[in-house]
Amino acid sequence: MVVDAGTDLARRGPGFDEAFRTRGFFYWLTRGCGELFTNLTTLVRTDERSDRQMRRDSRAISVACRSIARNFFDPPLRDLLDGIDYTTVADLGCGSGDRIIMLAERRPAIRAIGVDIAPGALAVAGEAIRDANLTDRITLLRDDVLNMSPRPEYADAELVTCFLMGHDFWPRDNCVKTLQKLRETFPNARNLLLGDTCRSVGVEGPDLPMFTVGFETVHAIMDQYLPTLDEWYSVIDESGWHLADQRLIELPAFSFIFHLTPA
């Protein structure tokens, strides 16, 4: 912001628009993972780790992911949705509920299911769904996306979406099993839209975005494997899916959306 001399007025500076557009990344790092970074010097010593020190703020991460999705993932997502027919959609890792609300508002006749394991995220989603007057069309369920089983609510879903949590499926063998399990859990799903951020490759020094450094540091400290884009490609066929389409997203990170169909 720039403050005009002699007045109490502030106006946008030359970097304001870009900073505002990317604010979700900053919030993810500082509020969502702030406690983890505060304890970073202890966490690098695995013998001194504790559950308390490894905590992240699930509510703040949901809010951050809402901003990131709106500005970077939603435009290519809408483009892919235009070619898909569905009457029921299940959104895995629904977070703030922003995406499931967008899906419901785009097609007034559909029903939607939001799934998340974090109570904080479900609370944020519930508030947003009530504010949007969509409680009659959107159902929220607490479930573990990494260990799902068929249940009546999932049986009719023809479209499954999953954004910004695909790296939780890894390492590789787990990812294959999780993607296979999704076909069993959602027997009528004909389309899976999977969007995520992967590990950077071939970029170093000043060309490496700050968020990428922070994102990869957080997951390294948490002992959570981040696959590269090529590693993602390597599991699709083996897990019983076919890559029907994709969008590679230019971000302060390395991201994609896959449109998968049953092989």
Side-chain angles (χ1 to χ4, degrees):
M1 302 293 287
V2 177
V3 179
D4 291 328
T7 73
D8 293 329
L9 300 177
R11 54 185 172 82
R12 295 179 179 181
F16 180 88
D17 289 343
E18 181 62 15
F20 188 74
R21 189 174 75 99
T22 58
R23 66 192 183 281
F25 300 103
F26 179 78
Y27 195 71
W28 190 95
L29 288 171
T30 58
R31 183 62 180 266
C33 302
E35 184 174 345
L36 186 146
F37 280 114
T38 298
N39 293 302
L40 193 61
T41 54
T42 300
L43 295 177
V44 295
R45 294 177 55 90
T46 56
D47 59 324
E48 294 186 14
R49 293 184 183 183
S50 71
D51 291 339
R52 184 192 64 80
Q53 294 166 328
M54 294 296 287
R55 285 189 315 196
R56 295 192 296 168
D57 186 333
S58 62
R59 184 183 181 96
I61 287 175
S62 294
V63 172
C65 288
R66 172 195 290 168
S67 175
I68 294 168
R70 284 179 177 177
N71 286 291
F72 297 97
F73 283 89
D74 283 0
L77 171 60
R78 290 190 181 96
D79 182 45
L80 287 169
L81 287 169
D82 286 340
I84 299 175
D85 292 325
Y86 58 96
T87 58
T88 303
V89 56
D91 185 41
L92 310 183
C94 65
S96 66
D98 207 49
R99 183 171 44 260
I100 202 72
I101 291 171
M102 181 269 286
L103 292 167
E105 290 179 337
R106 278 176 62 88
R107 301 190 186 184
I110 73 160
R111 299 191 64 80
I113 303 164
V115 181
D116 209 294
I117 195 173
L122 290 171
V124 173
E127 293 169 7
I129 291 167
R130 286 190 294 273
D131 290 343
N133 295 316
L134 289 169
T135 54
D136 59 328
R137 294 176 49 214
I138 299 177
T139 301
L140 292 178
L141 299 173
R142 189 180 182 194
D143 203 349
D144 183 357
V145 175
L146 305 182
N147 189 29
M148 301 185 79
S149 298
R151 52 195 291 181
E153 295 92 338
Y154 300 152
D156 295 330
E158 299 150 320
L159 169 64
V160 177
T161 59
C162 182
F163 280 74
L164 300 175
M165 68 159 298
H167 52 278
D168 293 331
F169 296 1
W170 290 72
R172 191 180 195 284
D173 289 347
N174 290 355
C175 183
V176 171
K177 291 176 183 177
T178 300
L179 290 173
Q180 290 173 338
K181 194 72 175 292
L182 290 181
R183 293 195 59 181
E184 300 172 9
T185 303
F186 299 95
N188 289 310
R190 296 294 173 261
N191 297 278
L192 168 61
L193 296 179
L194 177 66
D196 202 20
T197 296
C198 49
R199 191 170 82 250
S200 60
V201 175
V203 181
E204 299 177 354
D207 294 328
L208 191 63
M210 181 61 68
F211 175 75
T212 299
V213 175
F215 183 78
E216 295 184 2
T217 298
V218 165
H219 289 86
I221 290 296
M222 295 176 66
D223 291 327
Q224 189 168 43
Y225 186 77
L226 285 178
T228 66
L229 186 61
D230 285 342
E231 286 176 311
W232 269 111
Y233 288 140
S234 75
V235 301
I236 294 173
D237 290 343
E238 186 177 343
S239 60
W241 295 91
H242 166 70
L243 181 61
D245 203 351
Q246 67 175 353
R247 298 291 185 274
L248 302 182
I249 303 172
E250 294 185 3
L251 286 171
F254 297 76
S255 300
F256 63 86
I257 302 177
F258 290 157
H259 175 194
L260 304 179
T261 56

